[in-house]
Amino acid sequence: RGYYQDSLKMDNASIAMLENIRFEAQEKKGSLSLAKDLSNLADIYVNDAFGNIHRTDTSMLAITKYLPAYAGLLVLDEVEHLSHIVEAKQNLAIILGGAKIKTKIKLIKKFTQQAEVLLGGALASTMLKAQGLEVGKSLVDDKGLTVAKELSSEHIHLPLDVKVAKSVKARTAKRVTVDNITKSMMILDIGPSTVNEYLDILKIKKIIVWNGPLGYFENKLFVKGSSTIMKELAKSKAKVIIGGGETVKLVNQLKLHDKFTFVSTGGGAMLAFLEGNKLESLERLYA
């Protein structure tokens, strides 16, 4: 920590890069002493780390007590685009995949009042199990089952059919309807009927948000559901906003990064913003 206390000898227009702050033991503790040390290195503080904006780490929040704090251009861009979603009252659809329902339950509850919510991945498997359907060996958020059972809305859409196999490493797969899944099967993608239904919903929407793949896309057998919808959205005239590490990874894999309105750098941060959570590290920044 001592090197933070020494002023850096720098020429005009030069750049100094410090070690990754996450290696500093006090970073996660909101340390005022560390923040003070860091503040000695600068005249102003600019935060452009939107992907971390939902956290209150020392370099995100405590530092703003000692320096004038400003939002970077990326953070401003993120807030502008995500605010359009929060303010939308109609013609909105939310696509949600991923594993844990707990991290997205608040978002689902909130947006069923103003949007169509399309589910896939383990999130959908959890909802199917909560409805009493057999999901076999599928990844399920068992801790979220109770919450899932409480979710009921005509605006929540679940798969009609799925691609199943015995494991994520399978070399063969088959399509079954959701009422024909056996104990030996694992749900790894949405099926063609589901893809068609979801596309019918999406084609009449003006704003579409996507966070979380709809299948285990790491295996090419189970990427078709997500890739088919993503390719169609790339041609859409709707405002399409993509977020979440795995979803962005698929966007890049399909070379579609420049085809959407906006690709967010935040996963958890994006969800927290859309949910309307208090984001202290963001609120401390001047535009």
Side-chain angles (χ1 to χ4, degrees):
R1 288 251 323 255
Y3 58 83
Y4 291 135
Q5 299 169 356
D6 299 326
S7 59
L8 297 175
K9 295 180 180 179
M10 298 173 62
D11 297 325
N12 289 336
S14 60
I15 296 173
M17 183 175 292
L18 302 181
E19 177 60 275
N20 189 333
I21 192 69
R22 287 178 181 247
F23 290 121
E24 169 57 61
Q26 297 299 308
E27 164 66 357
K28 292 288 185 181
K29 299 179 180 180
S31 168
L32 293 180
S33 62
L34 174 59
K36 179 66 173 175
D37 286 348
L38 290 170
S39 71
N40 291 331
L41 300 175
D43 297 313
I44 64 170
Y45 167 79
V46 179
N47 187 333
D48 218 17
F50 182 79
N52 205 46
I53 208 74
H54 57 314
R55 299 191 174 97
T56 56
D57 299 341
T58 299
S59 65
M60 300 293 292
L61 183 59
I63 186 69
T64 65
K65 296 180 183 293
Y66 299 100
L67 291 171
Y70 297 89
L73 296 178
L74 173 64
V75 168
L76 291 174
D77 209 18
E78 293 271 4
V79 170
E80 178 183 355
H81 282 91
L82 297 181
S83 292
H84 291 319
I85 302 167
V86 175
E87 295 163 3
K89 302 301 180 184
Q90 57 185 357
N91 293 318
L92 173 66
I94 311 286
I95 304 172
L96 293 174
K100 294 184 178 180
I101 195 169
K102 181 180 179 181
T103 61
K104 296 174 181 176
I105 184 65
K106 187 176 178 181
L107 190 67
I108 294 173
K109 283 184 174 180
K110 176 180 178 179
F111 280 99
T112 50
Q113 301 174 28
Q114 65 190 90
E116 301 301 315
V117 181
L118 284 53
L119 301 183
L123 194 60
S125 300
T126 302
M127 289 290 290
L128 291 171
K129 185 173 181 178
Q131 293 185 357
L133 291 171
E134 175 64 60
V135 295
K137 300 187 297 180
S138 306
L139 181 61
V140 168
D141 179 13
D142 288 318
K143 293 182 179 179
L145 279 174
T146 301
V147 176
K149 290 175 182 178
E150 298 171 357
L151 281 178
S152 178
S153 171
E154 62 181 354
H155 299 295
I156 297 176
H157 302 271
L158 294 173
L160 305 172
D161 61 339
V162 291
K163 287 281 190 69
V164 296
K166 291 185 177 181
S167 77
V168 296
K169 296 181 180 181
R171 295 184 179 181
T172 59
K174 67 176 181 178
R175 173 250 177 201
V176 298
T177 56
V178 293
D179 56 351
N180 280 302
I181 299 168
T182 66
K183 292 185 181 298
S184 64
M185 296 177 181
M186 178 179 282
I187 301 172
L188 293 166
D189 195 9
I190 59 174
S193 296
T194 304
V195 170
N196 291 335
E197 181 186 64
Y198 283 9
L199 286 175
D200 284 341
I201 295 169
L202 295 170
K203 70 183 180 183
I204 60 173
K205 299 301 177 183
K206 293 183 179 179
I207 303 177
I208 299 165
V209 187
W210 190 340
N211 184 291
L214 301 177
Y216 187 76
F217 73 95
E218 291 86 347
N219 183 328
K220 64 181 181 181
L221 286 177
F222 310 113
V223 71
K224 190 170 184 179
S226 295
S227 64
T228 299
I229 293 177
M230 197 166 278
K231 288 174 182 177
E232 287 301 312
L233 292 184
K235 298 183 287 185
S236 172
K237 293 181 180 180
K239 182 190 297 289
V240 180
I241 297 175
I242 305 286
E246 294 299 301
T247 322
V248 174
K249 182 178 179 181
L250 180 58
V251 169
N252 292 331
Q253 184 175 304
L254 296 174
K255 295 180 172 58
L256 296 174
H257 195 279
D258 60 345
K259 301 298 183 181
F260 300 111
T261 307
F262 189 66
V263 178
S264 175
T265 59
M270 174 186 179
L271 294 175
F273 185 95
L274 294 178
E275 287 170 1
N277 292 348
K278 182 179 178 61
L279 303 177
E280 292 183 76
S281 296
L282 178 61
E283 291 174 358
R284 295 282 297 183
L285 305 178
Y286 294 101

